[in-house]
Amino acid sequence: MHFGTAGLLLLGAMALPASGTAQTTAAPPAIARTVIAATKLPTVIDAPVHFKAVSVTLPPDERSSVSAARGILYQLSGSTEVALDGEVKMLNAGEGLFIPGGKAAVLTAGSGAPSTFLHFFLVPAGELGRPAETAPAVVRELYRTASPIPDLKPGNYDLNLTRVAFPAQMPSNPPHHRSGAALYLILSGTGANTVDGKTEARGPGSLIYEPYDLVHQWGNPGDEPLIFLAFNINPEGVPAVLPAAPTKNQ
């Protein structure tokens, strides 16, 4: 059968709307991850280590100091001037800074409002009870792991604090686990956390510990973004999140 030029043009014109429609289909909202602070550790097996998290409030213009295990500050509200190793950095809300273990840092709250921040520690078991920031800072312990972080192996590790945002109405992600361990703190929104087939709602202020062998899922069934902090340790060069091994029924 012979088709003329006009016939070919008509067929092409008829095909264009369908093609255009396929190309403009909206992609599902993506998970946003922002690294707040990070460092590399040459070893993490010299002694058993724990996660520990505290909240700190420092009155305006007041000064405190900290000389403890390695950790990361995260500014919640107000501002804090951090003097460390001859350098000074001002932390505003949403910003963070890594403080090496054994280094003395001087913290000064900004004027006009109290400084409120979080301090996440990777602390040896023998120093778990050591005080954090000095008076007049008001320190409240939020969490500590009951036992040392398991399955840490020889070699370099990445330690970081990441802010993660799940879009509203996001289905649960596939089952996965950490290559090291993580401590979550939910800042806003309510997440759906699934462990061993049981799903629980996790709202603002919730702290969730994820050791290496815990298979779990996260989703956001709510109408607002789910935003949380992840204090994470994982082997250098290995993704922080690994897919879970399939079960016998999969």
Side-chain angles (χ1 to χ4, degrees), residues 44-81:
V44 291
I45 60 170
D46 289 344
V49 290
H50 292 250
F51 281 151
K52 178 180 175 180
V54 302
S55 67
V56 183
T57 301
L58 190 58
D61 297 314
E62 292 288 353
R63 179 175 295 182
S64 177
S65 63
V66 61
S67 177
R70 52 207 164 191
I72 295 177
L73 298 182
Y74 180 80
Q75 191 73 32
L76 287 173
S77 63
S79 61
T80 304
E81 179 189 89

PDB file of all heavy atoms in Angstrom, residues 44-81:
ATOM      1  N   VAL A  44      37.670   3.184  64.346  1.00  0.00           N
ATOM      2  CA  VAL A  44      36.599   3.313  65.351  1.00  0.00           C
ATOM      3  C   VAL A  44      36.562   2.089  66.266  1.00  0.00           C
ATOM      4  O   VAL A  44      35.593   1.883  66.988  1.00  0.00           O
ATOM      5  CB  VAL A  44      35.222   3.498  64.671  1.00  0.00           C
ATOM      6  CG1 VAL A  44      35.138   4.838  63.984  1.00  0.00           C
ATOM      7  CG2 VAL A  44      34.929   2.365  63.692  1.00  0.00           C
ATOM      8  N   ILE A  45      37.626   1.296  66.234  1.00  0.00           N
ATOM      9  CA  ILE A  45      37.611   0.055  67.008  1.00  0.00           C
ATOM     10  C   ILE A  45      38.661   0.049  68.121  1.00  0.00           C
ATOM     11  O   ILE A  45      38.932  -1.002  68.699  1.00  0.00           O
ATOM     12  CB  ILE A  45      37.800  -1.174  66.098  1.00  0.00           C
ATOM     13  CG1 ILE A  45      39.143  -1.109  65.354  1.00  0.00           C
ATOM     14  CG2 ILE A  45      36.640  -1.298  65.114  1.00  0.00           C
ATOM     15  CD1 ILE A  45      39.490  -2.398  64.628  1.00  0.00           C
ATOM     16  N   ASP A  46      39.261   1.206  68.412  1.00  0.00           N
ATOM     17  CA  ASP A  46      40.213   1.255  69.520  1.00  0.00           C
ATOM     18  C   ASP A  46      39.533   0.914  70.836  1.00  0.00           C
ATOM     19  O   ASP A  46      40.146   0.336  71.741  1.00  0.00           O
ATOM     20  CB  ASP A  46      40.846   2.648  69.621  1.00  0.00           C
ATOM     21  CG  ASP A  46      41.804   2.916  68.468  1.00  0.00           C
ATOM     22  OD1 ASP A  46      42.194   1.943  67.798  1.00  0.00           O
ATOM     23  OD2 ASP A  46      42.139   4.084  68.234  1.00  0.00           O
ATOM     24  N   ALA A  47      38.269   1.289  70.963  1.00  0.00           N
ATOM     25  CA  ALA A  47      37.471   1.009  72.154  1.00  0.00           C
ATOM     26  C   ALA A  47      36.018   0.969  71.736  1.00  0.00           C
ATOM     27  O   ALA A  47      35.640   1.589  70.735  1.00  0.00           O
ATOM     28  CB  ALA A  47      37.689   2.082  73.221  1.00  0.00           C
ATOM     29  N   PRO A  48      35.170   0.239  72.462  1.00  0.00           N
ATOM     30  CA  PRO A  48      33.739   0.238  72.140  1.00  0.00           C
ATOM     31  C   PRO A  48      33.190   1.670  72.180  1.00  0.00           C
ATOM     32  O   PRO A  48      33.561   2.459  73.060  1.00  0.00           O
ATOM     33  CB  PRO A  48      33.124  -0.627  73.234  1.00  0.00           C
ATOM     34  CG  PRO A  48      34.250  -1.485  73.718  1.00  0.00           C
ATOM     35  CD  PRO A  48      35.480  -0.640  73.608  1.00  0.00           C
ATOM     36  N   VAL A  49      32.314   2.007  71.232  1.00  0.00           N
ATOM     37  CA  VAL A  49      31.776   3.360  71.156  1.00  0.00           C
ATOM     38  C   VAL A  49      30.247   3.343  71.181  1.00  0.00           C
ATOM     39  O   VAL A  49      29.610   2.368  70.767  1.00  0.00           O
ATOM     40  CB  VAL A  49      32.270   4.107  69.907  1.00  0.00           C
ATOM     41  CG1 VAL A  49      33.743   4.445  70.028  1.00  0.00           C
ATOM     42  CG2 VAL A  49      32.000   3.303  68.643  1.00  0.00           C
ATOM     43  N   HIS A  50      29.686   4.445  71.675  1.00  0.00           N
ATOM     44  CA  HIS A  50      28.244   4.628  71.781  1.00  0.00           C
ATOM     45  C   HIS A  50      27.840   5.899  71.055  1.00  0.00           C
ATOM     46  O   HIS A  50      28.646   6.811  70.866  1.00  0.00           O
ATOM     47  CB  HIS A  50      27.821   4.771  73.248  1.00  0.00           C
ATOM     48  CG  HIS A  50      27.976   3.545  74.075  1.00  0.00           C
ATOM     49  ND1 HIS A  50      26.910   2.818  74.543  1.00  0.00           N
ATOM     50  CD2 HIS A  50      29.089   2.919  74.538  1.00  0.00           C
ATOM     51  CE1 HIS A  50      27.346   1.799  75.265  1.00  0.00           C
ATOM     52  NE2 HIS A  50      28.670   1.845  75.277  1.00  0.00           N
ATOM     53  N   PHE A  51      26.560   5.980  70.695  1.00  0.00           N
ATOM     54  CA  PHE A  51      25.951   7.247  70.319  1.00  0.00           C
ATOM     55  C   PHE A  51      25.382   7.893  71.581  1.00  0.00           C
ATOM     56  O   PHE A  51      24.857   7.223  72.463  1.00  0.00           O
ATOM     57  CB  PHE A  51      24.795   7.035  69.342  1.00  0.00           C
ATOM     58  CG  PHE A  51      25.201   6.786  67.915  1.00  0.00           C
ATOM     59  CD1 PHE A  51      24.405   6.019  67.089  1.00  0.00           C
ATOM     60  CD2 PHE A  51      26.354   7.343  67.388  1.00  0.00           C
ATOM     61  CE1 PHE A  51      24.748   5.790  65.769  1.00  0.00           C
ATOM     62  CE2 PHE A  51      26.716   7.120  66.068  1.00  0.00           C
ATOM     63  CZ  PHE A  51      25.902   6.345  65.252  1.00  0.00           C
ATOM     64  N   LYS A  52      25.482   9.224  71.620  1.00  0.00           N
ATOM     65  CA  LYS A  52      24.883   9.987  72.709  1.00  0.00           C
ATOM     66  C   LYS A  52      24.411  11.317  72.123  1.00  0.00           C
ATOM     67  O   LYS A  52      25.092  11.896  71.255  1.00  0.00           O
ATOM     68  CB  LYS A  52      25.898  10.220  73.824  1.00  0.00           C
ATOM     69  CG  LYS A  52      25.400  11.042  75.005  1.00  0.00           C
ATOM     70  CD  LYS A  52      26.508  11.203  76.051  1.00  0.00           C
ATOM     71  CE  LYS A  52      26.117  12.114  77.190  1.00  0.00           C
ATOM     72  NZ  LYS A  52      27.206  12.264  78.191  1.00  0.00           N
ATOM     73  N   ALA A  53      23.254  11.790  72.571  1.00  0.00           N
ATOM     74  CA  ALA A  53      22.730  13.068  72.090  1.00  0.00           C
ATOM     75  C   ALA A  53      22.249  13.885  73.278  1.00  0.00           C
ATOM     76  O   ALA A  53      21.589  13.361  74.181  1.00  0.00           O
ATOM     77  CB  ALA A  53      21.586  12.850  71.098  1.00  0.00           C
ATOM     78  N   VAL A  54      22.586  15.184  73.273  1.00  0.00           N
ATOM     79  CA  VAL A  54      22.129  16.088  74.318  1.00  0.00           C
ATOM     80  C   VAL A  54      21.576  17.352  73.668  1.00  0.00           C
ATOM     81  O   VAL A  54      21.938  17.699  72.536  1.00  0.00           O
ATOM     82  CB  VAL A  54      23.262  16.476  75.308  1.00  0.00           C
ATOM     83  CG1 VAL A  54      23.844  15.238  75.957  1.00  0.00           C
ATOM     84  CG2 VAL A  54      24.347  17.287  74.608  1.00  0.00           C
ATOM     85  N   SER A  55      20.676  18.028  74.389  1.00  0.00           N
ATOM     86  CA  SER A  55      20.246  19.366  73.980  1.00  0.00           C
ATOM     87  C   SER A  55      20.866  20.362  74.945  1.00  0.00           C
ATOM     88  O   SER A  55      21.019  20.082  76.143  1.00  0.00           O
ATOM     89  CB  SER A  55      18.724  19.482  73.999  1.00  0.00           C
ATOM     90  OG  SER A  55      18.227  19.405  75.314  1.00  0.00           O
ATOM     91  N   VAL A  56      21.237  21.526  74.423  1.00  0.00           N
ATOM     92  CA  VAL A  56      21.948  22.530  75.214  1.00  0.00           C
ATOM     93  C   VAL A  56      21.277  23.886  75.007  1.00  0.00           C
ATOM     94  O   VAL A  56      20.986  24.278  73.878  1.00  0.00           O
ATOM     95  CB  VAL A  56      23.435  22.622  74.808  1.00  0.00           C
ATOM     96  CG1 VAL A  56      24.177  23.614  75.694  1.00  0.00           C
ATOM     97  CG2 VAL A  56      24.104  21.250  74.869  1.00  0.00           C
ATOM     98  N   THR A  57      21.049  24.597  76.116  1.00  0.00           N
ATOM     99  CA  THR A  57      20.546  25.970  76.057  1.00  0.00           C
ATOM    100  C   THR A  57      21.522  26.877  76.789  1.00  0.00           C
ATOM    101  O   THR A  57      21.889  26.612  77.945  1.00  0.00           O
ATOM    102  CB  THR A  57      19.154  26.081  76.691  1.00  0.00           C
ATOM    103  OG1 THR A  57      18.248  25.225  76.003  1.00  0.00           O
ATOM    104  CG2 THR A  57      18.637  27.513  76.604  1.00  0.00           C
ATOM    105  N   LEU A  58      21.946  27.936  76.100  1.00  0.00           N
ATOM    106  CA  LEU A  58      22.918  28.876  76.651  1.00  0.00           C
ATOM    107  C   LEU A  58      22.297  30.270  76.630  1.00  0.00           C
ATOM    108  O   LEU A  58      21.856  30.738  75.571  1.00  0.00           O
ATOM    109  CB  LEU A  58      24.198  28.842  75.812  1.00  0.00           C
ATOM    110  CG  LEU A  58      25.445  29.555  76.325  1.00  0.00           C
ATOM    111  CD1 LEU A  58      25.863  29.016  77.682  1.00  0.00           C
ATOM    112  CD2 LEU A  58      26.588  29.404  75.319  1.00  0.00           C
ATOM    113  N   PRO A  59      22.205  30.940  77.785  1.00  0.00           N
ATOM    114  CA  PRO A  59      21.592  32.269  77.816  1.00  0.00           C
ATOM    115  C   PRO A  59      22.331  33.253  76.904  1.00  0.00           C
ATOM    116  O   PRO A  59      23.512  33.072  76.588  1.00  0.00           O
ATOM    117  CB  PRO A  59      21.727  32.680  79.297  1.00  0.00           C
ATOM    118  CG  PRO A  59      21.854  31.390  80.033  1.00  0.00           C
ATOM    119  CD  PRO A  59      22.614  30.481  79.119  1.00  0.00           C
ATOM    120  N   PRO A  60      21.638  34.302  76.468  1.00  0.00           N
ATOM    121  CA  PRO A  60      22.267  35.298  75.574  1.00  0.00           C
ATOM    122  C   PRO A  60      23.572  35.844  76.134  1.00  0.00           C
ATOM    123  O   PRO A  60      23.679  36.156  77.330  1.00  0.00           O
ATOM    124  CB  PRO A  60      21.201  36.399  75.467  1.00  0.00           C
ATOM    125  CG  PRO A  60      19.913  35.734  75.814  1.00  0.00           C
ATOM    126  CD  PRO A  60      20.250  34.660  76.799  1.00  0.00           C
ATOM    127  N   ASP A  61      24.557  35.931  75.269  1.00  0.00           N
ATOM    128  CA  ASP A  61      25.875  36.506  75.585  1.00  0.00           C
ATOM    129  C   ASP A  61      26.685  35.693  76.598  1.00  0.00           C
ATOM    130  O   ASP A  61      27.801  36.100  76.953  1.00  0.00           O
ATOM    131  CB  ASP A  61      25.750  37.951  76.106  1.00  0.00           C
ATOM    132  CG  ASP A  61      25.168  38.889  75.069  1.00  0.00           C
ATOM    133  OD1 ASP A  61      25.619  38.840  73.916  1.00  0.00           O
ATOM    134  OD2 ASP A  61      24.241  39.647  75.412  1.00  0.00           O
ATOM    135  N   GLU A  62      26.158  34.570  77.062  1.00  0.00           N
ATOM    136  CA  GLU A  62      26.898  33.750  78.020  1.00  0.00           C
ATOM    137  C   GLU A  62      27.865  32.813  77.293  1.00  0.00           C
ATOM    138  O   GLU A  62      27.694  32.491  76.112  1.00  0.00           O
ATOM    139  CB  GLU A  62      25.940  32.935  78.884  1.00  0.00           C
ATOM    140  CG  GLU A  62      25.108  33.766  79.839  1.00  0.00           C
ATOM    141  CD  GLU A  62      25.923  34.330  80.993  1.00  0.00           C
ATOM    142  OE1 GLU A  62      27.120  33.962  81.122  1.00  0.00           O
ATOM    143  OE2 GLU A  62      25.386  35.154  81.760  1.00  0.00           O
ATOM    144  N   ARG A  63      28.867  32.363  78.047  1.00  0.00           N
ATOM    145  CA  ARG A  63      29.927  31.537  77.468  1.00  0.00           C
ATOM    146  C   ARG A  63      29.998  30.192  78.178  1.00  0.00           C
ATOM    147  O   ARG A  63      29.828  30.088  79.386  1.00  0.00           O
ATOM    148  CB  ARG A  63      31.262  32.269  77.575  1.00  0.00           C
ATOM    149  CG  ARG A  63      32.448  31.499  77.019  1.00  0.00           C
ATOM    150  CD  ARG A  63      33.700  32.349  77.051  1.00  0.00           C
ATOM    151  NE  ARG A  63      33.576  33.506  76.160  1.00  0.00           N
ATOM    152  CZ  ARG A  63      34.546  34.399  75.972  1.00  0.00           C
ATOM    153  NH1 ARG A  63      35.694  34.278  76.643  1.00  0.00           N
ATOM    154  NH2 ARG A  63      34.376  35.410  75.154  1.00  0.00           N
ATOM    155  N   SER A  64      30.232  29.138  77.380  1.00  0.00           N
ATOM    156  CA  SER A  64      30.420  27.796  77.900  1.00  0.00           C
ATOM    157  C   SER A  64      31.592  27.171  77.163  1.00  0.00           C
ATOM    158  O   SER A  64      32.145  27.773  76.233  1.00  0.00           O
ATOM    159  CB  SER A  64      29.142  26.964  77.690  1.00  0.00           C
ATOM    160  OG  SER A  64      29.330  25.630  78.126  1.00  0.00           O
ATOM    161  N   SER A  65      31.989  25.987  77.592  1.00  0.00           N
ATOM    162  CA  SER A  65      33.068  25.281  76.897  1.00  0.00           C
ATOM    163  C   SER A  65      32.749  23.803  76.860  1.00  0.00           C
ATOM    164  O   SER A  65      31.927  23.299  77.639  1.00  0.00           O
ATOM    165  CB  SER A  65      34.419  25.514  77.585  1.00  0.00           C
ATOM    166  OG  SER A  65      34.403  24.988  78.894  1.00  0.00           O
ATOM    167  N   VAL A  66      33.399  23.103  75.956  1.00  0.00           N
ATOM    168  CA  VAL A  66      33.217  21.663  75.841  1.00  0.00           C
ATOM    169  C   VAL A  66      34.539  21.042  75.432  1.00  0.00           C
ATOM    170  O   VAL A  66      35.265  21.568  74.588  1.00  0.00           O
ATOM    171  CB  VAL A  66      32.100  21.312  74.824  1.00  0.00           C
ATOM    172  CG1 VAL A  66      32.433  21.822  73.424  1.00  0.00           C
ATOM    173  CG2 VAL A  66      31.836  19.814  74.798  1.00  0.00           C
ATOM    174  N   SER A  67      34.877  19.951  76.065  1.00  0.00           N
ATOM    175  CA  SER A  67      36.065  19.183  75.723  1.00  0.00           C
ATOM    176  C   SER A  67      35.719  17.726  75.985  1.00  0.00           C
ATOM    177  O   SER A  67      35.933  17.204  77.075  1.00  0.00           O
ATOM    178  CB  SER A  67      37.270  19.606  76.557  1.00  0.00           C
ATOM    179  OG  SER A  67      38.403  18.801  76.251  1.00  0.00           O
ATOM    180  N   ALA A  68      35.136  17.105  75.001  1.00  0.00           N
ATOM    181  CA  ALA A  68      34.625  15.747  75.182  1.00  0.00           C
ATOM    182  C   ALA A  68      34.958  14.917  73.952  1.00  0.00           C
ATOM    183  O   ALA A  68      35.854  15.258  73.183  1.00  0.00           O
ATOM    184  CB  ALA A  68      33.112  15.793  75.434  1.00  0.00           C
ATOM    185  N   ALA A  69      34.234  13.829  73.776  1.00  0.00           N
ATOM    186  CA  ALA A  69      34.465  12.960  72.627  1.00  0.00           C
ATOM    187  C   ALA A  69      34.081  13.681  71.336  1.00  0.00           C
ATOM    188  O   ALA A  69      33.403  14.702  71.335  1.00  0.00           O
ATOM    189  CB  ALA A  69      33.653  11.681  72.782  1.00  0.00           C
ATOM    190  N   ARG A  70      34.505  13.114  70.201  1.00  0.00           N
ATOM    191  CA  ARG A  70      34.171  13.700  68.908  1.00  0.00           C
ATOM    192  C   ARG A  70      32.657  13.757  68.723  1.00  0.00           C
ATOM    193  O   ARG A  70      31.923  12.872  69.155  1.00  0.00           O
ATOM    194  CB  ARG A  70      34.813  12.873  67.797  1.00  0.00           C
ATOM    195  CG  ARG A  70      34.495  11.398  67.887  1.00  0.00           C
ATOM    196  CD  ARG A  70      35.570  10.553  67.253  1.00  0.00           C
ATOM    197  NE  ARG A  70      35.424   9.167  67.683  1.00  0.00           N
ATOM    198  CZ  ARG A  70      36.328   8.221  67.477  1.00  0.00           C
ATOM    199  NH1 ARG A  70      37.451   8.520  66.853  1.00  0.00           N
ATOM    200  NH2 ARG A  70      36.137   6.997  67.904  1.00  0.00           N
ATOM    201  N   GLY A  71      32.228  14.816  68.098  1.00  0.00           N
ATOM    202  CA  GLY A  71      30.797  14.976  67.929  1.00  0.00           C
ATOM    203  C   GLY A  71      30.472  16.122  66.985  1.00  0.00           C
ATOM    204  O   GLY A  71      31.363  16.824  66.482  1.00  0.00           O
ATOM    205  N   ILE A  72      29.185  16.344  66.758  1.00  0.00           N
ATOM    206  CA  ILE A  72      28.711  17.374  65.827  1.00  0.00           C
ATOM    207  C   ILE A  72      27.632  18.206  66.513  1.00  0.00           C
ATOM    208  O   ILE A  72      26.696  17.665  67.099  1.00  0.00           O
ATOM    209  CB  ILE A  72      28.166  16.747  64.531  1.00  0.00           C
ATOM    210  CG1 ILE A  72      29.311  16.043  63.767  1.00  0.00           C
ATOM    211  CG2 ILE A  72      27.513  17.800  63.639  1.00  0.00           C
ATOM    212  CD1 ILE A  72      28.869  15.320  62.507  1.00  0.00           C
ATOM    213  N   LEU A  73      27.796  19.540  66.445  1.00  0.00           N
ATOM    214  CA  LEU A  73      26.789  20.470  66.927  1.00  0.00           C
ATOM    215  C   LEU A  73      25.777  20.751  65.824  1.00  0.00           C
ATOM    216  O   LEU A  73      26.138  20.809  64.640  1.00  0.00           O
ATOM    217  CB  LEU A  73      27.425  21.800  67.342  1.00  0.00           C
ATOM    218  CG  LEU A  73      28.453  21.817  68.480  1.00  0.00           C
ATOM    219  CD1 LEU A  73      28.904  23.255  68.725  1.00  0.00           C
ATOM    220  CD2 LEU A  73      27.886  21.206  69.736  1.00  0.00           C
ATOM    221  N   TYR A  74      24.512  20.962  66.216  1.00  0.00           N
ATOM    222  CA  TYR A  74      23.478  21.389  65.274  1.00  0.00           C
ATOM    223  C   TYR A  74      22.672  22.505  65.928  1.00  0.00           C
ATOM    224  O   TYR A  74      22.052  22.303  66.969  1.00  0.00           O
ATOM    225  CB  TYR A  74      22.552  20.231  64.895  1.00  0.00           C
ATOM    226  CG  TYR A  74      21.460  20.643  63.915  1.00  0.00           C
ATOM    227  CD1 TYR A  74      21.747  20.745  62.557  1.00  0.00           C
ATOM    228  CD2 TYR A  74      20.181  20.933  64.366  1.00  0.00           C
ATOM    229  CE1 TYR A  74      20.760  21.122  61.655  1.00  0.00           C
ATOM    230  CE2 TYR A  74      19.194  21.317  63.463  1.00  0.00           C
ATOM    231  CZ  TYR A  74      19.488  21.408  62.108  1.00  0.00           C
ATOM    232  OH  TYR A  74      18.518  21.793  61.217  1.00  0.00           O
ATOM    233  N   GLN A  75      22.688  23.687  65.328  1.00  0.00           N
ATOM    234  CA  GLN A  75      22.014  24.841  65.899  1.00  0.00           C
ATOM    235  C   GLN A  75      20.512  24.789  65.612  1.00  0.00           C
ATOM    236  O   GLN A  75      20.095  24.718  64.449  1.00  0.00           O
ATOM    237  CB  GLN A  75      22.608  26.128  65.324  1.00  0.00           C
ATOM    238  CG  GLN A  75      22.171  27.385  66.025  1.00  0.00           C
ATOM    239  CD  GLN A  75      22.827  27.547  67.394  1.00  0.00           C
ATOM    240  OE1 GLN A  75      23.959  27.112  67.599  1.00  0.00           O
ATOM    241  NE2 GLN A  75      22.125  28.177  68.318  1.00  0.00           N
ATOM    242  N   LEU A  76      19.709  24.802  66.677  1.00  0.00           N
ATOM    243  CA  LEU A  76      18.251  24.790  66.524  1.00  0.00           C
ATOM    244  C   LEU A  76      17.680  26.199  66.440  1.00  0.00           C
ATOM    245  O   LEU A  76      16.846  26.491  65.577  1.00  0.00           O
ATOM    246  CB  LEU A  76      17.617  24.043  67.696  1.00  0.00           C
ATOM    247  CG  LEU A  76      17.770  22.522  67.718  1.00  0.00           C
ATOM    248  CD1 LEU A  76      17.244  21.965  69.038  1.00  0.00           C
ATOM    249  CD2 LEU A  76      17.052  21.870  66.545  1.00  0.00           C
ATOM    250  N   SER A  77      18.070  27.084  67.359  1.00  0.00           N
ATOM    251  CA  SER A  77      17.570  28.452  67.360  1.00  0.00           C
ATOM    252  C   SER A  77      18.611  29.360  67.984  1.00  0.00           C
ATOM    253  O   SER A  77      19.511  28.910  68.699  1.00  0.00           O
ATOM    254  CB  SER A  77      16.245  28.543  68.128  1.00  0.00           C
ATOM    255  OG  SER A  77      16.426  28.193  69.489  1.00  0.00           O
ATOM    256  N   GLY A  78      18.468  30.662  67.717  1.00  0.00           N
ATOM    257  CA  GLY A  78      19.486  31.587  68.168  1.00  0.00           C
ATOM    258  C   GLY A  78      20.776  31.380  67.387  1.00  0.00           C
ATOM    259  O   GLY A  78      20.777  30.857  66.269  1.00  0.00           O
ATOM    260  N   SER A  79      21.890  31.743  67.976  1.00  0.00           N
ATOM    261  CA  SER A  79      23.188  31.581  67.318  1.00  0.00           C
ATOM    262  C   SER A  79      24.261  31.288  68.358  1.00  0.00           C
ATOM    263  O   SER A  79      24.112  31.634  69.535  1.00  0.00           O
ATOM    264  CB  SER A  79      23.556  32.828  66.508  1.00  0.00           C
ATOM    265  OG  SER A  79      23.662  33.956  67.356  1.00  0.00           O
ATOM    266  N   THR A  80      25.330  30.630  67.904  1.00  0.00           N
ATOM    267  CA  THR A  80      26.444  30.290  68.795  1.00  0.00           C
ATOM    268  C   THR A  80      27.760  30.554  68.077  1.00  0.00           C
ATOM    269  O   THR A  80      27.977  30.065  66.956  1.00  0.00           O
ATOM    270  CB  THR A  80      26.403  28.810  69.204  1.00  0.00           C
ATOM    271  OG1 THR A  80      25.146  28.513  69.807  1.00  0.00           O
ATOM    272  CG2 THR A  80      27.519  28.488  70.182  1.00  0.00           C
ATOM    273  N   GLU A  81      28.618  31.322  68.727  1.00  0.00           N
ATOM    274  CA  GLU A  81      29.977  31.508  68.220  1.00  0.00           C
ATOM    275  C   GLU A  81      30.853  30.399  68.796  1.00  0.00           C
ATOM    276  O   GLU A  81      30.905  30.207  70.006  1.00  0.00           O
ATOM    277  CB  GLU A  81      30.510  32.873  68.632  1.00  0.00           C
ATOM    278  CG  GLU A  81      31.926  33.142  68.158  1.00  0.00           C
ATOM    279  CD  GLU A  81      32.490  34.415  68.767  1.00  0.00           C
ATOM    280  OE1 GLU A  81      33.083  34.312  69.863  1.00  0.00           O
ATOM    281  OE2 GLU A  81      32.319  35.481  68.154  1.00  0.00           O
TER     282      GLU A  81
END
